[in-house]
Amino acid sequence: MTDVITYDSLTDEVLLDLLVTVEDRLPRAAVDEFLARAPRIIAPLTALVSARESWQQELPAWWAPIHATYLLGAIGDPSVIPALILAIEHAEAQDCDWVTGEIPSILGRLGAPARPPLITLLNDRPRSPYLRATAAEALAATTLADPVDADSIFGLIGACLADPAEDEDLRDIAGNLLLDFRRLEHKDTLQAFAREQERKHRHDPMFPLAFSEQDVVGAFAKPTPTLRHYTRNWLDFYSPSAIAQRQARWQEEDRRQEEPDDSEKDPLDDDLLDLLPVEPIVRSEAKIGRNDPCPCGSGKKYKKCCLDKAAIQLVLTPALFSEADRASVLNKLRVFADRPDQVADVAEASFDYWGDRLYDRDEDEQRRVLELPQAEVMRTAWLWFDAELPDKRTVADRFLAAEGGSLTPGERAFLHQARETYQGLYEVEAVDLDEGFTLRDLSTEERIRVHERTATHGVARWDLIVARLMPRPDGSRVLEAGLLQLSPRDAEMLLPQWQNAERTFQARFPRGSRMVILKKLGHLLSRWWLTLVAFRPLPTLVTPEGDLLMFTKAVFDVLDQEQLLGLLAHTEGVEQVTSGVFDWYEITPAFRRTLGTIRVTDERLTLETNSEARAERGRQMLEGLAPQALRYRVTSTEDLKQTMARAESRHRADAPNSLPPDVEAELLGKFYEEHYRGWVDQPVPALDNLTPRQAAGDRRRRPKLITLLKEFENRAAHDAREGRPSYNFTWMWKELGLERP
């Protein structure tokens, strides 16, 4: 029989001793008893938080000041504010994220009384920028409980952002606070900071962007802010489920620490460091004893099954199986993985696939990725065939040991081959619609023919793809578990990291087979795909004049259509394309540049252009041209994100005022020709402000130029595939003296 503690029977001293002894397992019932004893319990909790030495203790007492901070916040009396300010300082000095991460919501609930010491801390420039940033977050949070003087609070935060002499990290956090809280009065400052960041990033691609100018536009386009970080209930820390999850986490970390680890000095990124094994990798084809269970999963002893030469050959070469075999055994494998005796190990392994790249994001972003079919299919395949469970086996290994004897030969053949697959990185070199494509393995330079039908409608030449390839008896391959697509421009960043990861594993463990090493590394590619594709911010696009790209429409009432059409037909810089449609353009020293499109009907004139500044320029031109023939009504704008969202929900052909396809193709063709003929002699930031023609003659910059041309061709191929007007770049390779791969 287990004794049940009744916390109300404990003295204050005994209750306080719990904070020192229970580590992170303080029960919620004990927390409630602390709160019931306010205000007399405030003094000892304050003393615990205020003493620097409290934060410097070893386990289990290390947790005591954290508990005390949470409890003081829950009590919420203004008298605890000085202690909570000290908690910020002590926690930051000890790098205690348990407090620095929660203190904004803790102090935020106290509202205006917490502001004076927080303002003092924020304005204390000699202090740590991270300490001051935490103070800024807490200040912002106080405006949720008490909005009085919110403008002045965000004015202080905005001043930090606007000051170029301030610490970069503090400015980053200040900017994100203004975005989180949708402080429209600071939009200009945010955009200026974003442009400053983007300039630094262009000069140094390793410079991390806090946010882009497009992010600013997108943030203010959202109707309501999401402020979970500033309003969450930190007392959830004491829920039974949270306690259980932490205990499982600590146990796993203890297990790993008990194993020898010599990877500390490797100059690799966090993802790769996490994957470096603590024991030698050996070939997966370990020697099998005659009386051991056969690895094919038949349930028979090895000597009674695949020890026979013919049977061995069948197992070691691509075997035949039907699509029905594949579908049947995958369904059985799914049922097995969901069994109560498997689900905990499988769930833990599943978390490792995406890692913190995904789970540090908010719930909406997590849900968006997890609901992508291609991402889920790739994750499931890795989870079943690659992920190492606590007993060093995969789900497929366990399944074969438990159920292999009941499988058909075709089902076992598929499983055997699926266990040999891994996530690899490839470049698409050629696509044959409805037949397949040719890939180049970016690790080995091997050319691989892949038989595939459906995927040929979604990929184009120069795509980078992450895929699992299964061999066929004829030496070709088929896709297993779909693919993840990346852009050609990602190769510059991704390929060196991938090759470094392979080299590192191979050098440290020369006995490891390439297949085993790639099974260990493959999901790195998925994590990088998250960063480069799924979470890639939309690019900040600007016009040649330097204005933010905004799809802008100025609308006028037509008062005299005949007079208006006559004036437009004889206006310099305006050319009629078809009935009622005009191209508005200007002549530059290098080429003709289209500024917008003018559409005239009986009642309306619409000017469509790509910036607010151009729209205003066009409005002045039209009003000056025909003041008696038209009357201005309104201007509407749409940023890139909004345009893309609208395009996803409605096909272009359904949009009002859309051009006939042949007219649209003619207009775009003319625009592309003029733009790209001029582009080859224009400075390009991605080429270190050299022109493409100059970069073609520069050995160091030529690879970047080739990547750009691949990107252009890749986009054009996707446009053509989806029925949109595209452009042929073949001439550009010749013009620049480059050999087209």
Side-chain angles (χ1 to χ4, degrees):
M1 183 174 178
T2 303
D3 293 332
V4 178
I5 298 176
T6 54
Y7 295 101
D8 59 353
S9 66
L10 303 179
T11 65
D12 288 355
E13 291 75 20
V14 174
L15 194 63
L16 287 162
D17 283 344
L18 288 177
L19 305 184
V20 180
T21 60
V22 298
E23 297 190 344
D24 64 324
R25 300 186 302 276
L26 185 68
R28 179 58 195 257
V31 171
D32 292 339
E33 183 60 29
F34 272 103
L35 301 184
R37 299 188 187 190
R40 75 173 190 264
I41 206 71
I42 289 178
L45 291 175
T46 297
L48 187 57
V49 168
S50 303
R52 186 181 301 275
E53 55 269 21
S54 298
W55 300 83
Q56 299 172 338
Q57 301 178 91
E58 300 294 327
L59 292 173
W62 182 86
W63 283 98
I66 299 173
H67 293 308
T69 302
Y70 289 0
L71 292 168
L72 288 175
I75 292 171
D77 190 279
S79 66
V80 307
I81 292 173
L84 293 176
I85 298 296
L86 285 172
I88 301 177
E89 300 183 27
H90 295 327
E92 197 276 332
Q94 299 299 319
D95 199 23
C96 180
D97 291 339
W98 294 102
V99 168
T100 56
E102 301 292 355
I103 207 71
S105 58
I106 291 173
L107 284 167
R109 293 191 184 182
L110 292 169
R115 290 173 186 167
L118 288 171
I119 292 172
T120 300
L121 189 55
L122 175 61
N123 290 333
D124 192 355
R125 289 206 174 202
R127 306 297 292 272
S128 158
Y130 303 106
L131 184 63
R132 296 172 64 208
T134 302
E137 289 184 306
L139 273 172
T142 66
T143 66
L144 298 173
D146 186 352
V148 176
D149 294 330
D151 289 348
S152 63
I153 294 298
F154 286 104
L156 291 172
I157 295 170
C160 294
L161 174 67
D163 187 354
E166 276 287 10
D167 179 84
E168 193 78 38
D169 291 321
L170 176 60
R171 296 179 74 199
D172 285 359
I173 291 172
N176 279 291
L177 281 169
L178 298 174
L179 288 177
D180 287 347
F181 284 79
R182 308 285 196 273
R183 302 302 299 192
L184 188 59
E185 70 271 24
H186 296 283
K187 184 176 180 180
D188 290 345
T189 305
L190 287 162
Q191 289 182 316
F193 178 73
R195 287 193 291 271
E196 175 190 331
Q197 292 264 299
E198 289 164 357
R199 283 194 298 271
K200 292 178 179 179
H201 184 70
R202 284 195 294 271
H203 289 293
D204 178 10
M206 299 304 293
F207 179 84
L209 284 176
F211 48 84
S212 69
E213 194 170 5
Q214 195 69 48
D215 292 330
V216 177
V217 174
F220 289 107
K222 297 178 181 177
T224 54
T226 302
L227 300 171
R228 297 191 188 96
H229 175 68
Y230 310 97
T231 58
R232 58 191 179 190
N233 183 5
W234 65 93
L235 289 182
D236 289 343
F237 180 89
Y238 300 104
S239 70
S241 61
I243 293 173
Q245 289 175 3
R246 287 196 300 274
Q247 297 314 300
R249 174 179 171 183
W250 307 144
Q251 290 173 9
E252 175 62 15
E253 289 187 1
D254 289 344
R255 184 187 66 79
R256 292 180 179 179
Q257 289 175 1
E258 290 172 0
E259 300 174 341
D261 186 1
D262 57 355
S263 65
E264 297 178 358
K265 298 181 180 180
D266 288 12
L268 305 174
D269 67 14
D270 291 340
D271 284 328
L272 187 53
L273 282 172
D274 287 342
L275 292 179
L276 281 173
V278 296
E279 56 193 24
I281 298 176
V282 299
R283 295 185 61 85
S284 61
E285 302 87 357
K287 182 176 176 63
I288 305 168
R290 290 173 57 85
N291 293 307
D292 291 340
C294 186
C296 77
S298 66
K300 302 177 182 178
K301 291 184 177 181
Y302 184 46
K303 66 183 181 182
K304 295 290 188 180
C305 189
C306 291
L307 186 58
D308 177 78
K309 186 175 180 179
I312 292 174
Q313 189 64 25
L314 177 65
V315 170
L316 296 181
T317 60
L320 296 176
F321 55 85
S322 68
E323 184 58 32
D325 292 326
R326 177 183 180 276
S328 172
V329 76
L330 286 179
N331 185 60
K332 294 176 182 178
L333 188 55
R334 183 175 293 104
V335 172
F336 177 82
D338 288 338
R339 281 178 17 181
D341 61 332
Q342 304 294 326
V343 70
D345 288 345
V346 174
E348 183 177 351
S350 179
F351 180 89
D352 290 337
Y353 184 72
W354 298 117
D356 292 340
R357 292 286 179 98
L358 176 63
Y359 297 109
D360 280 351
R361 299 273 178 161
D362 64 41
E363 293 179 1
D364 290 340
E365 287 190 293
Q366 291 181 34
R367 189 180 303 109
R368 178 171 64 82
V369 170
L370 295 173
E371 289 176 354
L372 292 173
Q374 68 270 33
E376 176 57 19
V377 168
M378 293 289 283
R379 184 195 66 86
T380 300
W382 175 87
L383 185 61
W384 290 349
F385 302 119
D386 297 351
E388 198 174 80
L389 302 179
D391 61 355
K392 307 298 184 183
R393 295 189 297 171
T394 65
V395 173
D397 294 336
R398 288 183 177 182
F399 174 67
L400 278 169
E403 310 283 347
S406 64
L407 301 179
T408 68
E411 290 174 333
R412 288 200 300 273
F414 170 80
L415 276 184
H416 177 80
Q417 288 179 214
R419 291 162 73 204
E420 305 296 303
T421 64
Y422 51 82
Q423 291 190 185
L425 182 63
Y426 308 92
E427 182 181 66
V428 179
E429 290 200 332
V431 180
D432 298 318
L433 204 61
D434 290 323
E435 293 185 9
F437 35 78
T438 301
L439 303 179
R440 178 169 67 96
D441 188 321
L442 293 180
S443 298
T444 66
E445 297 295 323
E446 177 188 4
R447 264 67 180 180
I448 303 168
R449 182 63 185 172
V450 177
H451 286 277
E452 173 61 32
R453 181 173 181 173
T454 303
T456 61
H457 293 264
V459 299
R461 193 183 192 201
W462 307 132
D463 275 341
L464 294 187
I465 66 170
V466 178
R468 304 177 76 93
L469 303 181
M470 183 172 288
R472 299 195 337 162
D474 64 1
S476 65
R477 313 286 176 86
V478 293
L479 283 180
E480 179 54 41
L483 54 84
L484 300 175
Q485 282 179 265
L486 299 103
S487 167
R489 67 182 179 276
D490 296 325
E492 189 174 0
M493 178 189 302
L494 186 58
L495 189 54
Q497 294 190 58
W498 179 239
Q499 292 173 336
N500 178 55
E502 280 202 66
R503 285 195 300 268
T504 300
F505 264 68
Q506 193 66 63
R508 291 173 61 85
F509 307 104
R511 293 167 53 206
S513 71
R514 184 168 183 269
M515 181 196 72
V516 173
I517 289 174
L518 292 180
K519 279 181 165 292
K520 297 275 186 183
L521 291 175
H523 63 303
L524 281 185
L525 296 169
S526 295
R527 295 184 183 183
W528 293 335
W529 172 83
L530 279 180
T531 300
L532 296 170
V533 177
F535 295 144
R536 187 199 302 270
L538 288 174
T540 299
L541 302 178
V542 296
T543 66
E545 297 91 343
D547 301 314
L548 184 64
L549 188 73
M550 298 284 287
F551 298 96
T552 308
K553 184 183 293 185
V555 181
F556 301 76
D557 292 328
V558 173
L559 306 178
D560 188 333
Q561 186 189 38
E562 184 177 353
Q563 180 189 7
L564 180 61
L565 291 174
L567 290 169
L568 288 172
H570 296 89
T571 299
E572 184 178 355
V574 178
E575 179 183 25
Q576 186 166 351
V577 178
T578 188
S579 179
V581 180
F582 298 82
D583 182 33
W584 176 38
Y585 67 91
E586 66 180 1
I587 304 296
T588 74
F591 58 94
R592 171 173 147 165
R593 175 189 293 137
T594 293
L595 300 175
T597 301
I598 300 169
R599 309 176 195 274
V600 181
T601 65
D602 292 343
E603 298 179 351
R604 295 282 187 271
L605 180 148
T606 305
L607 169 63
E608 298 172 354
T609 185
N610 60 3
S611 77
E612 293 178 279
R614 282 189 178 180
E616 180 60 25
R617 176 182 167 187
R619 173 187 172 181
Q620 294 176 11
M621 181 269 293
L622 290 167
E623 289 182 326
L625 174 67
Q628 306 304 317
L630 52 74
R631 180 175 60 237
Y632 172 74
R633 287 179 63 89
V634 69
T635 297
S636 63
T637 60
E638 203 176 60
D639 63 29
L640 182 59
K641 191 176 292 185
Q642 292 168 324
T643 301
M644 292 178 65
R646 180 171 54 83
E648 289 176 0
S649 64
R650 182 178 63 191
H651 192 274
R652 184 181 181 88
D654 297 328
N657 300 321
S658 61
L659 292 173
D662 57 336
V663 176
E664 183 180 40
E666 181 182 349
L667 279 174
L668 284 172
K670 185 182 296 186
F671 169 78
Y672 287 147
E673 184 69 16
E674 293 169 353
H675 175 75
Y676 287 114
R677 291 286 178 181
W679 181 82
V680 298
D681 292 305
Q682 296 293 314
V684 177
L687 301 174
D688 300 325
N689 287 319
L690 294 182
T691 70
R693 200 181 301 277
Q694 292 169 331
D698 187 309
R699 176 177 56 82
R700 293 174 300 169
R701 292 165 177 94
R702 193 179 301 122
K704 289 186 177 181
L705 174 60
I706 290 172
T707 297
L708 276 178
L709 296 187
K710 285 184 175 181
E711 176 75 10
F712 291 166
E713 290 198 336
N714 180 255
R715 288 180 188 170
H718 279 289
D719 286 341
R721 186 69 49 78
E722 295 172 18
R724 297 191 296 266
S726 62
Y727 186 71
N728 189 338
F729 291 91
T730 302
W731 70 269
M732 191 178 290
W733 295 89
K734 296 179 181 178
E735 179 74 16
L736 297 174
L738 298 173
E739 183 178 351
R740 188 168 180 259

